[in-house]
């Protein structure tokens, strides 16, 4: 069975600080990986995704994530955060053999101090 | 284009009552999903459907049932609601499991007393 772990439950940063949110997954085969964001009062929207190819993927709003297969990780990064990045961030995975089951992590709440 | 429409947006329900959360999409997506979002637990998959006429169990299916009579609709039914089913429920769709991107509805907040 696939699973996703997000170890940072709540991260507080000042504007312009660099961000890295951890995501580790458990699955024995090929996976697709995603980061979704939920801004306050809104529904989830896709930030970026990895299917294959270059393990460094770039998403919207300056976010990027790196797939490290040997570490089963897909950490989200942003060099300089803004107050508007305040949101909850969810890592998600689906394995090729159970492609219908897109499983989410527990989420990381990001608070940015202006 | 509306995308995903969920109803009701909010509901308070007595324990033991039957409740159906409605979900309709206008994107002609094959795959649809129901998740529940709980504080500290993230989103957990309840049921999914790859295409009209098929459904599957997710991570937390007990106490819930779904049907997929056509492409657009994917209702979620709680046959006999219990307080532990108090949650925010999100319906989502995707063009197919391998495309990855889920499109979410606005959510239905359900409180079971």
């Amino acid at each position: 069975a696939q699973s996703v772990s997000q170890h940072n439950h709540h991260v507080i940063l000042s504007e312009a600080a660099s961000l890295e949110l951890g995501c580790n997954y458990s699955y024995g085969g090929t996976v697709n990986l995603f980061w979704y964001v939920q801004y306050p009062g809104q529904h989830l929207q896709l930030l970026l995704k990895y299917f294959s190819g270059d393990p460094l993927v770039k998403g919207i709003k300056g976010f990027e994530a790196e797939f490290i297969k040997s570490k089963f990780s897909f950490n989200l990064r942003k060099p300089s955060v803004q107050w508007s990045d305040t949101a909850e961030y969810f890592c998600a995975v689906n394995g090729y053999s159970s492609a219908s089951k897109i499983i989410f992590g527990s989420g990381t709440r990001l608070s940015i101090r202006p | 284009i509306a995308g995903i429409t969920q109803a009701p947006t909010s509901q308070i329900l007595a324990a033991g009552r039957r409740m159906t959360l409605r979900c309709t999409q206008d994107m002609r997506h094959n795959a649809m999903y129901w998740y529940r979002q709980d504080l500290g637990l993230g989103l957990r998959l309840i049921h999914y459907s790859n295409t009209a006429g098929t459904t599957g169990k997710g991570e937390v299916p007990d106490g819930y049932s779904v049907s997929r009579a056509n492409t657009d609709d994917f209702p979620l039914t709680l046959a006999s609601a219990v307080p532990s089913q108090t949650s925010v429920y999100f319906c989502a769709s995707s063009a197919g499991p391998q495309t990855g991107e889920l499109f979410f509805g606005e959510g239905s907040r359900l409180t079971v007393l």
Side-chain angles (χ1 to χ4, degrees):
Chain A
Q2 59 204 41
S3 65
V4 182
S5 296
Q6 292 182 246
H7 304 294
N8 311 109
H9 299 294
H10 188 193
V11 173
I12 303 173
L13 295 173
S14 298
E15 276 194 314
S18 64
L19 169 71
E20 181 160 2
L21 301 182
C23 173
N24 289 90
Y25 68 92
S26 173
Y27 185 72
T30 305
V31 294
N32 299 328
L33 295 157
F34 314 88
W35 277 97
Y36 282 82
V37 60
Q38 186 177 30
Y39 297 104
Q42 298 185 26
H43 56 79
L44 281 83
Q45 55 187 285
L46 183 69
L47 205 52
L48 49 79
K49 63 184 179 184
Y50 172 79
F51 277 15
S52 64
D54 189 344
L56 184 63
V57 293
K58 296 191 183 298
I60 60 173
K61 302 185 181 184
F63 286 92
E64 65 179 31
E66 185 175 12
F67 171 49
I68 302 179
K69 189 175 181 180
S70 61
K71 294 184 178 181
F72 297 90
S73 70
F74 190 56
N75 293 355
L76 181 71
R77 300 194 293 248
K78 186 171 184 178
S80 177
V81 295
Q82 301 172 311
W83 180 80
S84 59
D85 293 324
T86 295
E88 189 146 18
Y89 293 81
F90 295 92
C91 184
V93 62
N94 77 315
Y96 270 32
S97 67
S98 59
S100 300
K101 294 187 178 182
I102 301 174
I103 303 300
F104 284 78
S106 57
T108 297
R109 185 156 64 100
L110 176 64
S111 300
I112 306 297
R113 291 188 292 250
Chain B
I1 297 177
I4 301 260
T5 302
Q6 291 185 233
T9 55
S10 181
Q11 182 75 46
I12 299 173
L13 188 67
R17 298 296 295 269
R18 180 183 179 89
M19 177 73 193
T20 295
L21 303 180
R22 299 184 298 279
C23 175
T24 300
Q25 54 113 349
D26 61 4
M27 297 175 283
R28 306 303 294 172
H29 283 170
N30 285 323
M32 296 188 76
Y33 311 82
W34 274 105
Y35 289 89
R36 59 178 289 174
Q37 184 177 21
D38 302 288
L39 193 63
L41 298 175
L43 281 85
R44 292 180 291 169
L45 180 63
I46 304 171
H47 286 287
Y48 64 92
S49 169
N50 286 338
T51 187
T54 69
T55 62
K57 294 182 179 180
E59 302 169 272
V60 289
D62 294 343
Y64 305 95
S65 63
V66 291
S67 61
R68 187 86 184 277
N70 56 62
T71 297
D72 299 341
D73 302 300
F74 191 45
L76 176 73
T77 297
L78 290 67
S80 178
V82 295
S84 61
Q85 292 177 311
T86 294
S87 186
V88 180
Y89 292 85
F90 286 98
C91 181
S93 72
S94 72
Q98 294 301 337
T99 70
E101 181 171 5
L102 294 175
F103 293 84
F104 285 86
E106 298 295 323
S108 295
R109 182 176 295 275
L110 183 65
T111 302
V112 183
L113 302 177

